[in-house]
Amino acid sequence: MQVRSPAEIQMTTEINEREQTLLKMLIESYVRDGQPVGSQKLARDSRLNLSPATVRNIMGDLEALGLVSSPHTSAGRIPTDKGYRLFVDSLLTVQSLDNDEVQRLKQEIDTDESVEVLIERVSSLLSGVTHMAGVVVAPRREHQVLRHIELLPLSDQRILVILVMDKQEVQNRIIRTAHAYTPSELQQVANYLNASLGGADLQTVRKRLLADMRETRSKLDRLMQRALDMAESVFAETAAQDDCVIAGQTNLMEFSELSDIDRLRSLFDAFNSKQQILHVLDQCLGSPGVQIFIGQESGYEPLNNCSLVTASYGVNNRAIGVLGVIGPTRMAYDRVISIVDATARLFSAVLNQRH
Amino acid sequence: MQVRSPAEIQMTTEINEREQTLLKMLIESYVRDGQPVGSQKLARDSRLNLSPATVRNIMGDLEALGLVSSPHTSAGRIPTDKGYRLFVDSLLTVQSLDNDEVQRLKQEIDTDESVEVLIERVSSLLSGVTHMAGVVVAPRREHQVLRHIELLPLSDQRILVILVMDKQEVQNRIIRTAHAYTPSELQQVANYLNASLGGADLQTVRKRLLADMRETRSKLDRLMQRALDMAESVFAETAAQDDCVIAGQTNLMEFSELSDIDRLRSLFDAFNSKQQILHVLDQCLGSPGVQIFIGQESGYEPLNNCSLVTASYGVNNRAIGVLGVIGPTRMAYDRVISIVDATARLFSAVLNQRH
DNA sequence: TCTAGCACTCGGATATCTCGAGTGCTAATT
DNA sequence: AATTAGCACTCGAGATATCCGAGTGCTAGA
């Protein structure tokens, strides 16, 4: 399993082995208990035979490096975002999930449902297993292959367009036309479009259409002309749509560090609007392996005390979407990473097998 | 505009005019400020020229009747659920929305979008205008008319069934069949089903199919036999599905009476699972006018400190769905009632005009 | 370089106090 | 009989004080 930092984040800080050990213990302890960790506890647990005083000195150094901080003078230390980052990048040992757990996940994912439903399911699954919020970005539509197109008259000048995509997904659009078509005209238009466009992905379809229109506008008979007009209005809005399913938001209410109601609210509102989240997640698309954003790194304010662990999924080794988990920075990264990684693999496998 | 209580809730408590006036003022004041109302304030505001002492006596009576209560000895009074109920049933004066506001709502609702999108929009609208949570129960599928059916082969033994309903709604199902069909066979099956079933609502379709199968099973040729088998598996799952869109949940975070994080959480979880909420809302379907559930009346625990103001909407004077608002019991009922009522009417109008 | 020792800090828990809004009761007033 | 004034009382909110102990930083000695 491969874990990558977002490209722009570079860790230059170097610390020696003893400091590493202590930082690691500190983070593990803090993640477990949620309490600032004091020098005494750390000295005792670390098995390094150091006195609390020595540990304190080291903590002083780590604090100077910006890896830990103390909430106030007489409390222990807690990791900073930078501390988590170092931890995740070089201290963390991720053990893969044991086989039982993988099987359990597989069972949940490998069902017969439509992709749409499956996405919801995976999202809930992630949320359920991690007790945080699960998120799945739906496959980017542009890259999907168009299998078939149907046109049905609804009323004069209104046509229901049904696009059957690859992998059992179906999209419906309603378009208005300047002219009223007879059912048989519609059938002809559909036939033409199916013949000339089926099997290409939406982006390609769109380009090809525009080209056709430019080149042959004058030569076409009226019907084909109309077909192209119509198709253009269908595919016009195709680009922007992709969607993002978030499940288990309420899990986040359990984390004391998020329970300030205003922060929580802004987070939930962010989930609802999704736009920004999508943008953050988009950055993960394409890069292989598990990606992690910690706290501020996402550059998106409502996610400030949160981390984002994601992995892309896809078919034929081409990433088509991203899934992951959103939770407080203070999360059990090792576990979450394994889960997200496994889920992405399993989900890809299911999509692949549906071919 | 008509406001109805759920049938089972009967108000028998009789109070005299002066008590009514005071209760009304108390509720209005409490709804406005969220503070328990004391005798002095009430005496001053009421213009009844009563001394605080008198008001206190009256409050004592109202408390004995269970209409108000005091959070503790030395605080003012707040309304109980029963108090709100009496208020809503006989004290409330709802003024209709002024024309500007109706126009604004109308503009938001009367768009060209598909019913699905429109439902989301109406839900957000309700949430936005009232600053509470908006909820719309999607039209019950059983009553919808089937216009057209399409069958498309996905792979061997997997068929995508597209049901085009009335009013631009489309449902997709994937079914597995025992046998692999050729495209032309599928076309024939679709033709047969369209001919014999188009125009009926799903419930009827289902009944008719079962009847057909019993009566003529032996007489049919193999193809038709298969058509029926297939159709049966499509319509089998038709009954249960209806859905419910809730928007603006986070608005509820603003209300101090709900801000206890556990209560809030159980409420949000309830929104997510929706099942129970749907059940409560189902009770509203069919009854004309605006319906109000206050606090415990819904019989559903997570809604305890909440009220529900709903109205049904429909086409041709037949209710097909319910919309409304969920907020704290302490809400501005007059305003909310007008808004819900107006929205339901406007929504119905839009649906009707789409014929 | 590490550690023991020590004075110091600060947050959290708990107790105490004060203030004032509001009550209920009683007795006087209308 | 209904209303009101008067008064003692209650109780919560907020401010203030106190204590405790975990944890720190620093210094000097091992």
Side-chain angles (χ1 to χ4, degrees):
Chain A
M1 177 181 343
Q2 198 180 1
V3 179
R4 294 277 216 96
S5 324
E8 70 273 24
I9 296 159
Q10 302 277 350
M11 275 307 303
T12 52
T13 317
E14 297 280 335
I15 59 177
N16 67 36
E17 192 172 340
R18 198 173 60 178
E19 289 168 330
Q20 287 184 12
T21 314
L22 286 176
L23 180 59
K24 188 174 177 201
M25 300 229 59
L26 182 141
I27 293 184
E28 283 167 354
S29 162
Y30 180 66
V31 164
R32 195 173 344 99
D33 309 333
Q35 298 295 328
V37 189
S39 56
Q40 184 160 303
K41 180 178 174 55
L42 211 46
R44 198 170 349 97
D45 295 358
S46 75
R47 308 238 159 249
L48 286 180
N49 280 328
L50 294 178
S51 74
T54 311
V55 173
R56 279 204 289 281
N57 286 332
I58 299 174
M59 284 304 146
D61 298 345
L62 293 183
E63 183 154 11
L65 291 171
L67 297 169
V68 299
S69 72
S70 35
H72 57 86
T73 330
S74 74
R77 301 302 211 293
I78 59 174
T80 60
D81 288 358
K82 194 175 169 195
Y84 279 122
R85 169 54 59 198
L86 178 60
F87 174 74
V88 165
D89 283 347
S90 43
L91 269 39
L92 189 62
T93 47
V94 228
Q95 75 277 45
S96 301
L97 287 190
D98 75 53
N99 215 284
D100 280 6
E101 261 186 300
V102 175
Q103 285 312 315
R104 225 170 304 142
L105 289 180
K106 190 178 155 100
Q107 211 166 8
E108 290 279 344
I109 294 176
D110 199 354
T111 66
D112 241 16
E113 299 151 322
S114 72
V115 176
E116 227 169 87
V117 175
L118 193 54
I119 282 176
E120 303 247 7
R121 172 180 283 274
V122 170
S123 181
S124 308
L125 181 63
L126 283 169
S127 135
V129 175
T130 61
H131 301 289
M132 300 188 284
V135 49
V136 179
V137 179
R140 313 216 64 172
R141 296 253 161 78
E142 302 107 82
H143 299 287
Q144 279 187 48
V145 173
L146 180 64
R147 278 176 72 112
H148 191 84
I149 189 168
E150 281 290 324
L151 305 174
L152 293 168
L154 286 173
S155 61
D156 284 358
Q157 312 188 9
R158 281 187 130 156
I159 299 176
L160 175 67
V161 182
I162 300 172
L163 304 174
V164 183
M165 316 301 292
D166 221 7
K167 293 194 263 5
Q168 303 146 3
E169 204 193 310
V170 182
Q171 286 183 56
N172 309 306
R173 307 265 165 87
I174 291 159
I175 60 171
R176 286 176 171 285
T177 56
H179 187 79
Y181 295 85
T182 66
S184 74
E185 276 177 322
L186 282 181
Q187 189 63 52
Q188 285 180 59
V189 171
N191 286 344
Y192 168 69
L193 290 174
N194 276 319
S196 60
L197 304 174
D201 72 45
L202 288 195
Q203 242 169 3
T204 316
V205 166
R206 191 138 188 270
K207 270 191 226 133
R208 206 182 294 168
L209 267 176
L210 287 171
D212 270 20
M213 287 178 76
R214 253 198 315 278
E215 275 182 35
T216 63
R217 185 176 280 274
S218 51
K219 286 185 268 168
L220 289 172
D221 67 31
R222 254 182 64 231
L223 189 64
M224 285 311 103
Q225 178 73 47
R226 279 188 197 153
L228 290 182
D229 283 348
M230 195 185 303
E232 171 60 10
S233 84
V234 171
F235 294 113
E237 63 183 62
T238 271
Q241 295 192 21
D242 49 0
D243 208 0
C244 165
V245 175
I246 300 179
Q249 311 176 26
T250 52
N251 280 340
L252 301 183
M253 287 186 177
E254 271 174 4
F255 295 96
S256 53
E257 53 268 64
L258 299 176
S259 73
D260 159 33
I261 202 113
D262 282 329
R263 164 167 300 289
L264 206 54
R265 184 184 169 152
S266 79
L267 192 58
F268 283 16
D269 282 339
F271 286 171
N272 281 342
S273 75
K274 287 175 187 167
Q275 205 46 51
Q276 295 277 354
I277 302 265
L278 257 174
H279 184 255
V280 174
L281 289 169
D282 269 358
Q283 299 176 42
C284 310
L285 190 68
S287 332
V290 175
Q291 295 242 350
I292 302 177
F293 288 92
I294 294 167
Q296 313 243 17
E297 291 173 7
S298 71
Y300 181 40
E301 216 262 318
L303 288 182
N304 263 2
N305 280 18
C306 294
S307 286
L308 195 55
V309 177
T310 68
S312 16
Y313 62 87
V315 280
N316 300 331
N317 291 319
R318 216 164 40 91
I320 59 170
V322 175
L323 57 76
V325 163
I326 298 174
T329 42
R330 183 201 135 214
M331 66 165 75
Y333 289 94
D334 50 354
R335 191 175 142 70
V336 172
I337 289 172
S338 325
I339 291 173
V340 168
D341 184 67
T343 307
R345 284 172 200 276
L346 289 168
F347 190 36
S348 298
V350 170
L351 293 179
N352 261 313
Q353 139 201 335
R354 291 198 185 181
H355 155 216
Chain B
M1 173 183 345
Q2 200 181 0
V3 180
R4 297 276 217 96
S5 324
E8 71 272 24
I9 296 160
Q10 302 276 349
M11 277 304 306
T12 52
T13 316
E14 297 279 336
I15 58 177
N16 67 37
E17 194 173 336
R18 197 173 60 178
E19 289 167 331
Q20 288 184 11
T21 314
L22 286 176
L23 180 58
K24 189 176 176 198
M25 300 229 57
L26 182 139
I27 292 183
E28 284 167 353
S29 163
Y30 181 67
V31 164
R32 197 175 342 101
D33 309 333
Q35 298 295 326
V37 189
S39 56
Q40 183 160 301
K41 180 177 174 56
L42 210 46
R44 196 168 353 96
D45 295 357
S46 76
R47 309 236 160 250
L48 287 180
N49 280 329
L50 293 177
S51 74
T54 312
V55 173
R56 279 203 290 281
N57 286 332
I58 298 174
M59 284 304 149
D61 297 345
L62 293 183
E63 181 154 13
L65 290 171
L67 297 169
V68 299
S69 71
S70 35
H72 59 86
T73 330
S74 74
R77 302 302 212 290
I78 59 175
T80 60
D81 289 359
K82 195 176 168 193
Y84 280 121
R85 170 52 62 197
L86 178 61
F87 173 73
V88 165
D89 284 346
S90 42
L91 270 38
L92 189 62
T93 47
V94 228
Q95 73 278 42
S96 301
L97 288 190
D98 73 53
N99 214 284
D100 280 6
E101 260 187 299
V102 175
Q103 286 311 316
R104 223 170 306 144
L105 289 180
K106 191 178 155 100
Q107 212 167 6
E108 289 278 347
I109 295 176
D110 197 354
T111 66
D112 241 17
E113 300 151 322
S114 72
V115 176
E116 227 169 87
V117 175
L118 194 55
I119 282 176
E120 302 248 10
R121 172 180 282 275
V122 169
S123 181
S124 307
L125 181 63
L126 283 168
S127 133
V129 175
T130 61
H131 300 290
M132 299 189 285
V135 49
V136 179
V137 178
R140 313 216 62 172
R141 297 254 160 78
E142 301 108 81
H143 299 287
Q144 279 188 44
V145 174
L146 180 65
R147 279 175 70 113
H148 190 84
I149 190 169
E150 281 290 326
L151 304 174
L152 293 168
L154 287 172
S155 61
D156 285 357
Q157 313 189 9
R158 281 187 130 156
I159 298 175
L160 173 66
V161 182
I162 300 171
L163 303 174
V164 183
M165 317 301 294
D166 222 5
K167 294 193 267 355
Q168 305 145 1
E169 204 191 310
V170 183
Q171 287 183 54
N172 310 306
R173 307 267 164 85
I174 292 160
I175 60 171
R176 286 176 172 285
T177 57
H179 187 81
Y181 295 84
T182 67
S184 74
E185 277 177 322
L186 282 183
Q187 189 62 52
Q188 284 180 63
V189 170
N191 288 343
Y192 167 71
L193 289 175
N194 277 319
S196 61
L197 302 174
D201 72 45
L202 287 194
Q203 241 170 4
T204 316
V205 166
R206 190 141 188 269
K207 269 192 227 135
R208 208 183 291 169
L209 266 176
L210 287 171
D212 269 21
M213 288 178 77
R214 251 197 316 278
E215 272 182 40
T216 62
R217 184 175 280 275
S218 50
K219 284 185 271 172
L220 288 172
D221 66 30
R222 255 183 63 230
L223 189 62
M224 288 309 105
Q225 178 71 46
R226 279 189 196 150
L228 290 182
D229 284 348
M230 195 187 302
E232 172 59 12
S233 85
V234 171
F235 295 111
E237 63 183 63
T238 272
Q241 296 193 19
D242 47 3
D243 208 0
C244 166
V245 175
I246 299 179
Q249 311 176 27
T250 52
N251 280 340
L252 300 183
M253 287 187 178
E254 272 174 3
F255 295 96
S256 54
E257 53 268 64
L258 298 175
S259 72
D260 159 34
I261 202 116
D262 283 330
R263 164 167 301 288
L264 206 53
R265 184 182 171 156
S266 80
L267 192 58
F268 283 15
D269 281 340
F271 286 171
N272 281 341
S273 76
K274 289 177 186 166
Q275 206 45 52
Q276 296 277 352
I277 302 265
L278 256 175
H279 185 255
V280 174
L281 289 168
D282 269 358
Q283 298 175 43
C284 309
L285 191 68
S287 333
V290 175
Q291 296 240 354
I292 302 176
F293 288 92
I294 294 167
Q296 313 243 15
E297 291 173 8
S298 71
Y300 180 40
E301 218 259 319
L303 288 182
N304 263 1
N305 280 18
C306 295
S307 284
L308 195 54
V309 177
T310 67
S312 10
Y313 62 87
V315 278
N316 301 329
N317 291 319
R318 217 164 40 89
I320 59 170
V322 175
L323 57 77
V325 162
I326 299 175
T329 44
R330 183 201 134 213
M331 67 166 74
Y333 289 94
D334 49 355
R335 190 176 144 70
V336 173
I337 289 172
S338 322
I339 290 172
V340 169
D341 184 67
T343 307
R345 285 172 200 276
L346 289 168
F347 190 35
S348 297
V350 170
L351 292 178
N352 260 312
Q353 138 203 335
R354 292 199 184 181
H355 155 216

